[in-house]
Structures are given as C-alpha cells and as structure tokens.
Amino acid sequence: MFVYVLRSEKKSLYVGSTKNIEQRFESHNNGANLSTKSERPWILAKVEEYDNDSLALKREKFLKSAQGRRVLRNLLS
C-alpha cells in the first residue's frame, strides 16, 4: 500500500493512501475526486510504500494530523 502527498500549484496539500498509485494520481488530476477537483493540477510531492496496510493507514492518519502537517510542510519547503 502507498501513502502519498499531493501538492497543487496553489500550494494545497492532500494526503491519501491507495494500492494503485498511478491510477489514483490520475483520478485526482482528472477531477474524479470531489475533494481535490478544485485544486488541480496536482503533483506527487511524496510517496511512501508499505508492506502492511495497517502501518500505511497509521502513517496516513499521522500525516493528516496537525503535527504531521507541520512535518510535511518542513519536508516539502
């Protein structure tokens, strides 16, 4: 499973997880996701791969937290 971070040209960040990163990234940029449609186009800013779905979901949850957002902004700036 992959945990990914998208960044828009407007500097918005989106964190998600998926088993098929290519298909999921394409769906974000095609406007198939209501939560990311208005911020297109997106670039893949970070991708992490996990063998264990449970670990991936924990990482996604952390990155969506206030502390995780701070970590991401520092890593990506």
Side-chain angles (χ1 to χ4, degrees):
M1 178 170 267
F2 297 93
V3 174
Y4 62 94
V5 179
L6 302 177
R7 177 183 274 181
S8 73
E9 289 182 353
K10 299 174 185 177
K11 304 298 182 205
S12 295
L13 294 178
Y14 178 85
V15 177
S17 61
T18 185
K19 292 187 186 272
N20 185 331
I21 191 69
E22 293 86 8
Q23 181 183 32
R24 188 71 172 137
F25 178 63
E26 186 176 314
S27 73
H28 283 293
N29 274 322
N30 287 339
N33 302 83
L34 291 177
S35 60
T36 59
K37 186 176 183 175
S38 66
E39 298 291 323
R40 294 178 296 162
W42 294 95
I43 61 164
L44 271 173
K46 184 170 182 57
V47 177
E48 300 173 353
E49 186 173 9
Y50 294 87
D51 294 330
N52 181 315
D53 290 359
S54 174
L55 290 175
L57 294 175
K58 284 180 185 179
R59 178 66 170 169
E60 178 187 6
K61 185 176 181 178
F62 169 74
L63 292 175
K64 288 181 174 181
S65 71
Q67 182 181 3
R69 292 265 179 198
R70 284 192 296 271
V71 169
L72 276 178
R73 293 216 183 266
N74 288 334
L75 282 174
L76 301 176
S77 60

